[in-house]
Amino acid sequence: MNHKIQQLDDIIRNSENIAFFTGAGISVASGIPDFRSIGGLNDEITKKGYSPEYILSSDYLESDPEGFIDFCHRYLLFADKKPNTVHQWIAELEKKHQSNGVITQNIDGLHSDAGSQNVDELHGTLNQFFCLHCQHKYTKHEVIQNHLRHCDKCGNPIRPDIVLYGEMLNQGTIFNALHKLKTADTLVVLGSSLIVQPAAGLISNFEGENLIIINKDTTPYDDDATLVINDDMVSAIDSLRKSQ
């Protein structure tokens, strides 16, 4: 076994309260592209004269709610994407009461789909939609299956329960994430560059013994980590699971 996988195995086995922090990399492994890598998206945005940030902003939603929900259907709702082995591993450790849950920067809802119960979705989730007028809620499945763009109760546009540019992060979610970090003995970062703020700045609140970073590229926290694995996370976790 690779010595880094062996070290990872040893740390996980000896940890009693693991927190996970995940970024776009874990979703890419499930076939969900990074926002700026979505096929054809940048071309369409350029034609409209929009920036990527504007297309996912509260300003755009307010000015063109119809265009916004159309964008969601065309580019954000991946009905065929499923959790991968990393999502499943995280959910398994929570089920075994060895983890206090996961903090994620992702909006795809795959952690919940994999069975994780204690998920702090810093930027919200595409698994839930709601009406802009009457607040009636819909699941992603209902929205996709029925091609919903308007509320079937009042007829107004609906939106996903995600945090748009120009909106504040949910303070309850931040509080829960901070509690996870402060009480964990091990923090495992997966697929995050740890650059995007304010989410990445949460990492500095970790006070436990072991910081593990599994990411293809380097991060600003590598020097502080107990273990850094610059490799494909699916391969790394598959190797770990085979050894257990």
Side-chain angles (χ1 to χ4, degrees):
M1 190 194 313
N2 180 296
H3 75 280
K4 287 199 171 186
I5 299 300
Q6 180 63 66
Q7 186 180 356
L8 174 63
D9 187 31
D10 292 341
I11 292 173
I12 296 300
R13 287 179 184 275
N14 290 297
S15 298
E16 298 180 353
N17 196 25
I18 305 166
F20 291 93
F21 186 98
T22 65
I26 191 174
S27 297
V28 170
S30 282
I32 297 177
D34 179 85
F35 177 58
R36 287 176 174 78
S37 302
I38 296 175
L41 175 60
N42 282 333
D43 290 341
E44 179 162 330
I45 290 174
T46 301
K47 288 178 184 177
K48 291 184 176 182
Y50 297 153
S51 68
E53 288 77 16
Y54 180 70
I55 205 80
L56 274 178
S57 72
S58 56
D59 287 341
Y60 180 57
L61 172 63
E62 185 176 343
S63 67
D64 187 6
E66 303 285 349
F68 178 84
I69 190 62
D70 181 63
F71 164 79
C72 290
H73 272 275
R74 295 180 66 185
Y75 293 110
L76 297 184
L77 295 180
F78 298 95
D80 60 333
K81 305 307 181 186
K82 305 297 181 185
N84 59 58
T85 188
V86 185
H87 294 101
Q88 294 162 358
W89 175 63
I90 291 171
E92 288 168 4
L93 287 173
E94 182 184 336
K95 189 174 182 180
K96 294 176 181 176
H97 305 290
Q98 199 176 350
S99 164
N100 65 13
V102 56
I103 306 161
T104 186
Q105 296 172 283
N106 302 329
I107 60 175
D108 50 53
L110 291 183
H111 283 296
S112 296
D113 293 346
S116 288
Q117 300 292 317
N118 197 355
V119 185
D120 294 319
E121 294 164 310
L122 298 174
H123 300 142
T125 178
L126 288 167
N127 277 357
Q128 296 291 331
F129 282 66
F130 63 90
C131 174
L132 290 170
H133 179 70
C134 72
Q135 307 297 306
H136 185 75
K137 295 180 180 179
Y138 299 90
T139 66
K140 179 174 70 174
H141 177 73
E142 290 173 321
V143 171
I144 293 174
Q145 186 176 42
N146 300 309
H147 308 287
L148 285 177
R149 284 172 166 76
H150 298 86
C151 178
D152 57 9
K153 306 298 180 184
C154 70
N156 283 280
I158 61 173
R159 62 161 287 180
D161 193 10
I162 60 177
V163 181
L164 301 175
Y165 287 98
E167 295 179 336
M168 297 288 291
L169 299 184
N170 182 279
Q171 293 305 299
T173 302
I174 294 294
F175 179 83
N176 290 337
L178 287 171
H179 180 72
K180 279 188 176 74
L181 292 167
K182 288 182 177 294
T183 57
D185 55 3
T186 293
L187 173 61
V188 182
V189 177
L190 293 149
S192 175
S193 63
L194 298 180
I195 293 174
V196 177
Q197 298 294 346
L202 289 171
I203 297 299
S204 61
N205 292 277
F206 173 62
E207 301 173 350
E209 183 178 354
N210 296 297
L211 171 60
I212 299 169
I213 299 175
I214 306 176
N215 194 53
K216 284 189 174 181
D217 301 314
T218 60
T219 81
Y221 289 83
D222 285 4
D223 289 343
D224 299 321
T226 310
L227 173 64
V228 176
I229 300 177
N230 293 131
D231 197 359
D232 177 73
M233 75 181 70
V234 171
S235 297
I237 301 307
D238 276 343
S239 297
L240 175 69
R241 295 175 88 187
K242 289 175 183 177
S243 71
Q244 295 176 334

